Amino acid sequence: MSTPTRTIGADTIARTIILLLALINQILAIAGHATISFTDNDIYQIVSVCWTVAASLTAWWKNNSFTCLACEADEWMKKQLEQKKATTEKKE
């Protein structure tokens, strides 16, 4: 039985980034520093960059085996697929 995978939605990421920017702005204002002025387009660009980086890293990481254990698992999976293919061919 496989467990369902949960993904973080774009709306959640956008709200989180906006919250972080608001918190940073508030801290800067309390400390007496100049606050961050940003427009809707700036927020869109930030969210787009974060989404692109996250998607790129996820795709890169999931398609590459870095550890010895992962390489061994890849080999085991190949053997299992070959056995399954051989079993299927025998039945036909």
Side-chain angles (χ1 to χ4, degrees):
M1 177 182 285
S2 64
T3 58
T5 57
R6 296 186 58 173
T7 57
I8 299 171
D11 55 342
T12 301
I13 293 171
R15 286 191 304 266
T16 303
I17 290 172
I18 291 170
L19 175 62
L20 289 174
L21 288 173
L23 290 171
I24 291 169
N25 245 5
Q26 190 64 37
I27 291 168
L28 289 172
I30 290 170
H33 298 287
T35 58
I36 304 170
S37 62
F38 48 87
T39 63
D40 289 341
N41 189 43
D42 294 335
I43 294 171
Y44 172 78
Q45 292 296 328
I46 291 168
V47 170
S48 294
V49 166
C50 291
W51 190 255
T52 302
V53 168
S56 299
L57 290 174
T58 300
W60 173 71
W61 182 261
K62 286 189 173 276
N63 293 325
N64 295 294
S65 297
F66 288 101
T67 65
C68 292
L69 185 60
C71 293
E72 290 174 16
D74 287 344
E75 289 299 318
W76 180 84
M77 182 180 68
K78 287 178 189 175
K79 288 177 185 175
Q80 294 298 314
L81 290 173
E82 288 173 3
Q83 288 177 357
K84 185 175 182 178
K85 184 179 178 182
T87 304
T88 305
E89 289 175 355
K90 286 180 183 179
K91 288 181 181 178
E92 294 174 357

